[in-house]
Amino acid sequence: MRELKAHRLTFAYGGRTVLDDVSFTLTPGRLTALLGPNGAGKSTLIRSLLGLLTPLHGAVTLDGADLSAMTLRERARALSYIPQHSRPAFSYSALEMVLMGAAGELPIFAQPSKAQIASARQALDEVGALALQDRDFRTLSGGEAQLVLIARALAQRAEIILMDEPEAGLDYGNRLMLLRKLRALADSGRTVLFSTHEPQSALTADEVLAVRDGSLIAHGAVKDVLDETLLRRLYAVEVRVTETAFGTTILPRMEESR
């Protein structure tokens, strides 16, 4: 399993610091939630982990090697990125979108092999979306599109999957379905990180990276760090974290009627 580390990452847009001295290690085979309010620096952190942004200070390493020294193809073999929104300008079927995950293995202008097509279908089947293979990707619902993008990540054969707010725009049912798929991916041995501003979604993870104003204010097992004190620091609201017969629940503290 491959190990991705952030070493004292600092990044700024103009004169504004967006990431400030952020360090952590993503553990292989674990599901990590990158939790924080809007504007906390979550997307910038993910793009830095992918090597798409050059930090002002610090570095990202993959198995101890500096990510910035690697080629795009070398990065693609290890890291897969699923953006918040992906709507191609041209008409591609769901199967063609998944096959793009194998593009890094193909010579320029080469056509996918029968084996790669079979592998793409297998990836769709793994996420329960094989029935979508002939559908125009642009016509899929948000939940369906996210499943296809996860299948594309599987076809890429990367062991580390980074997702930027994959729940955005999904209804309750599709959100639960997506979180179950992320859990299954981590349980299969992959390293999965997803960003979210929903604390309830973060409860499904193994670990939490909590960020606010570009700083990492907590990192650890969900049961150890995701509590009322942390949520007050992140969102400036009062909540209750309670254990029920159905698991941990986060509820707002409402003022008592007078």
Side-chain angles (χ1 to χ4, degrees), residues 6 11 20 40 52 56 81 109 124 144 182 224 229 239-240:
F11 186 84
D20 186 15
L52 300 177
L56 191 64
Y81 173 49
F109 303 124
L124 280 168
E144 291 170 335
L182 300 188
D224 295 332
T229 300
V239 298
R240 282 183 305 158

Side-chain angles (χ1 to χ4, degrees), residues 143-204:
E144 291 170 335
Q146 285 292 2
L147 290 180
V148 171
L149 293 176
I150 292 174
R152 184 174 70 180
L154 298 183
Q156 189 177 327
R157 300 182 184 178
E159 295 181 22
I160 302 171
I161 300 174
L162 308 178
M163 305 184 72
D164 192 2
E165 296 198 13
E167 310 158 273
L170 299 187
D171 62 30
Y172 182 71
N174 279 317
R175 178 179 296 180
L176 290 181
M177 176 182 65
L178 174 70
L179 291 171
R180 290 192 191 103
K181 296 298 181 186
L182 300 188
R183 175 77 268 162
L185 287 173
D187 289 344
S188 73
R190 297 177 178 89
T191 302
V192 184
L193 177 143
F194 71 100
S195 66
T196 182
H197 50 72
E198 295 287 349
Q200 195 70 42
S201 296
L203 287 172
T204 66

Side-chain angles (χ1 to χ4, degrees), residues 1-5 26 28 49-51 60-67 70-82 101 104-105 152-162 189-193:
M1 294 296 175
R2 314 202 69 175
E3 187 176 73
L4 190 67
K5 283 188 176 184
L26 289 184
L49 291 175
L50 291 161
V60 177
T61 61
L62 179 63
D63 297 336
D66 194 328
L67 195 70
M70 298 180 184
T71 66
L72 289 175
R73 180 164 292 192
E74 288 172 332
R75 295 180 204 173
R77 291 193 185 110
L79 302 169
S80 181
Y81 173 49
I82 300 177
E105 301 177 358
R152 184 174 70 180
L154 298 183
Q156 189 177 327
R157 300 182 184 178
E159 295 181 22
I160 302 171
I161 300 174
L162 308 178
R190 297 177 178 89
T191 302
V192 184
L193 177 143

Side-chain angles (χ1 to χ4, degrees), residues 65-112:
D66 194 328
L67 195 70
S68 65
M70 298 180 184
T71 66
L72 289 175
R73 180 164 292 192
E74 288 172 332
R75 295 180 204 173
R77 291 193 185 110
L79 302 169
S80 181
Y81 173 49
I82 300 177
Q84 185 177 144
H85 300 289
S86 180
R87 291 294 174 183
F90 300 101
S91 177
Y92 294 106
S93 70
L95 180 61
E96 288 170 331
M97 287 293 291
V98 176
L99 280 167
M100 291 178 188
E105 301 177 358
L106 293 172
I108 297 176
F109 303 124
Q111 294 295 314

Side-chain angles (χ1 to χ4, degrees), residues 210-227:
V211 293
R212 181 174 177 85
D213 298 327
S215 295
L216 181 62
I217 64 173
H219 177 208
V222 169
K223 62 181 178 62
D224 295 332
V225 301
L226 189 51
D227 57 17

